[in-house]
Structure formats: C-alpha cells, structure tokens
C-alpha cells in the first residue's frame, strides 16, 4: 500500500486531484495525463514505504528490498464516496481486482453518531455506498464482496479466499498484519484494542484470535439509541437485509 488512502493521494495532487474528482480522469483528452500523474504519485508513495519503519516490513522478521517492493502491485484503499472512483482506478491500472468490504450498518452508524453525525446521514451514506459496491460487483470483471464479520470469525480463511480471487498462492501465508485502531470496550467506552494507534502488528494463526474482537459489531450497535436505530434501519433496510444484518 502507498500508506495513504485514495482520498489522501488525490488531495496531494492539487488541481489534478480536483479534475479527477470532477470526472475528467476518464476524459479521452486529458484523462491519460491525469491517470499517469495519479499512478506516478501512488508509485512514489509505495516506494517511500522502504524508509518507513512501520510500512516497510515484508514479514515479521524481514523488511522489503528495493527491487522486491518495485515489483509489488499497488494496493489502494477507497472509503465511502471514493468507491465511485473505481472506474477511474480501473482505467489507471491494468488487470484491476476490486474487493468490496461491507460491515454491519448499525455498527457503522454508531461510529458516525459518536463523531457528531446523525443516524439519517449515516443511513443514506451507508445505503449509497453499499449499492455502489453491489452495482460494481455486477459490472466489473474482477470484483469480490466480503463481510467484515466473516473476517473477524476466520481471517485466514477469508485471506486465502482473497488470494485465490487474486490468482495468488495462499499456502505461504503464515502471518497477517493488523492496524491498531480505536474500538468500543466491553462497557461501551472507547479505547485501543492492542498496540499503538495507526501502527501495524503481525499475528500468527493463534495470536490473531486474541487480537480480533468478534463481538465488536454488536457492542457498537448496542450503543445506539432506540431512535437512531429505528431511523437507520428504516432508511437502510434493503441494504441491511441484503447482507443479513436485520434482526
């Protein structure tokens, strides 16, 4: 990964980024120039990971070599509205594979409300994003959709599934790397599950079970008020039902 999300990479591009946002990245006239600029910056950011203490690790006991990281494919992360940029990404890179990650909408709503947003806004954003993912899954040549809850239940099984989807050999996958993030505690408080926020840590098949919290979605959903839960469920009912999130 180039360390930064798609929105952050575009933000670094100034006027070029603004043109991409306006849809000119697919223009037959200036599109190739905009795509080349995005691709160049993403590549430079990927190579810069060599000098990053956290991002430069290829394995728990080994760092990337220059020639090794040069040969890796670019892995980009798009959140929410940036999912709409998939056509631009597909035009920028040959042989694109897209992975849509969906999680329980009520847990997502808790995160939005906790940051000061409304349940209604959260529901409309969730509904719009899920429908974009489902639409792209039907129209894109290489697109797979997974549930966040399935990752928590058996991360190595999901990883092996994705490796097969990407045409890679999963048998060498002995460790997974997780990013430390804030989460709801058992009493509803908010803190860090492990390590230092925004740093990555390696886990083997046994350790990762202790690092992941399979009840995190329920804990977040339970923090919603009854009013917010009803509002979110009413607006995003179809999308919640599609992935089995309606009780």
């Amino acid at each position: 990964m180039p360390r930064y999300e798609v929105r952050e990479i575009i933000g670094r591009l100034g006027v070029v980024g603004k043109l991409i946002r306006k849809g000119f990245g697919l223009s037959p006239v200036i599109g190739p120039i905009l795509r080349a600029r995005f691709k160049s910056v993403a590549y430079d950011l990927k190579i810069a990971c060599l000098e990053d203490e956290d991002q430069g690790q290829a394995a728990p006991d080994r760092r990337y070599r220059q020639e090794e990281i040069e040969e890796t494919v670019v892995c980009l992360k798009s959140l929410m509205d940036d999912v709409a940029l998939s056509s631009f990404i597909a035009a920028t890179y040959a042989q694109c594979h897209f992975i849509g990650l969906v999680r329980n909408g009520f847990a997502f709503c808790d995160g939005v409300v906790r940051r000061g947003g409304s349940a209604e806004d959260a529901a409309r954003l969730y509904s719009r994003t899920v429908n974009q993912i489902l639409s792209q899954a039907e129209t894109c040549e290489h697109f797979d959709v997974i549930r966040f809850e399935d990752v928590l239940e058996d991360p190595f099984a999901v990883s092996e599934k994705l490796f097969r989807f990407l045409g890679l050999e999963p048998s060498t996958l002995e460790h997974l790397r997780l990013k430390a993030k804030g989460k709801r505690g058992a009493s509803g408080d908010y803190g860090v599950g492990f390590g230092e926020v925004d740093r990555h840590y390696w886990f083997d098949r046994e350790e990762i079970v202790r690092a992941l919290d399979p009840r995190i979605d329920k804990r977040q959903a339970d923090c919603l008020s009854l009013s917010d839960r009803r509002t979110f469920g009413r607006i995003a009912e179809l999308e919640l039902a599609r992935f089995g999130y309606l009780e």
Side-chain angles (χ1 to χ4, degrees):
M1 290 186 66
R3 183 177 180 181
Y4 299 98
E5 298 168 1
V6 167
R7 64 177 178 83
E8 295 171 313
I9 296 175
I10 288 178
R12 286 170 163 261
L13 294 175
V15 174
V16 169
K18 292 179 180 179
L19 290 173
I20 291 173
R21 287 277 184 211
K22 292 181 178 294
F24 288 100
L26 298 176
S27 163
V29 180
I30 64 172
I33 299 174
L34 302 180
R35 295 194 296 270
R37 179 59 179 154
F38 179 93
K39 190 174 184 178
S40 174
V41 171
Y43 177 84
D44 289 344
L45 290 171
K46 180 187 77 165
I47 297 300
C49 288
L50 280 170
E51 308 301 325
D52 188 282
E53 179 183 356
D54 188 41
Q55 294 288 89
Q57 290 184 311
D61 57 352
R62 184 172 66 83
R63 296 186 63 80
Y64 281 111
R65 301 186 303 274
Q66 175 79 28
E67 62 274 15
E68 186 178 29
I69 202 169
E70 287 177 353
E71 292 299 318
T72 60
V73 299
V74 174
C75 180
L76 299 171
K77 179 181 178 181
S78 297
L79 294 178
M80 298 304 167
D81 286 339
D82 283 345
V83 171
L85 292 171
S86 293
S87 295
F88 168 76
I89 299 298
T92 302
Y93 295 94
Q95 301 179 345
C96 266
H97 287 67
F98 294 95
I99 300 168
L101 178 65
V102 179
R103 76 173 299 193
N104 188 308
F106 293 111
F108 166 75
C109 183
D110 169 66
V112 173
V113 172
R114 179 172 51 81
R115 295 179 179 87
S118 71
E120 182 175 352
D121 288 342
R124 298 195 187 286
L125 177 57
Y126 183 83
S127 178
R128 181 169 68 248
T129 304
V130 168
N131 280 308
Q132 286 179 334
I133 290 174
L134 292 175
S135 176
Q136 291 174 17
E138 293 181 355
T139 57
C140 292
E141 183 177 1
H142 301 290
F143 202 112
D144 199 5
V145 181
I146 60 175
R147 299 195 326 158
F148 176 70
E149 297 73 25
D150 296 332
V151 177
L152 295 181
E153 181 178 344
D154 195 340
F156 277 88
V158 173
S159 296
E160 292 177 4
K161 172 179 181 289
L162 293 179
F163 267 56
R164 289 191 294 272
F165 166 67
L166 296 169
L168 302 173
E169 174 55 57
S171 63
T172 58
L173 193 65
E174 297 298 333
H175 293 82
L176 288 178
R177 198 174 69 143
L178 300 179
K179 183 177 181 180
K181 302 182 68 175
K183 69 169 189 175
R184 288 283 193 187
S187 60
D189 58 323
Y190 194 76
V192 184
F194 61 87
E196 181 182 340
V197 174
D198 289 340
R199 291 191 63 85
H200 293 80
Y201 298 87
W202 291 95
F203 297 89
D204 62 24
R205 292 175 180 266
E206 295 182 1
E207 294 171 335
I208 202 167
V209 175
R210 296 189 291 272
L212 295 175
D213 183 357
R215 293 181 58 82
I216 186 61
D217 273 359
K218 185 180 186 310
R219 190 175 298 124
Q220 284 192 250
D222 287 347
C223 289
L224 283 177
S225 68
L226 181 58
S227 174
D228 283 344
R229 187 179 185 87
R230 286 175 174 171
T231 297
F232 188 90
R234 173 177 53 80
I235 297 174
E237 181 178 7
L238 293 178
E239 292 71 38
L240 291 167
R242 172 66 175 77
F243 288 95
Y245 294 139
L246 279 181
E247 299 177 353

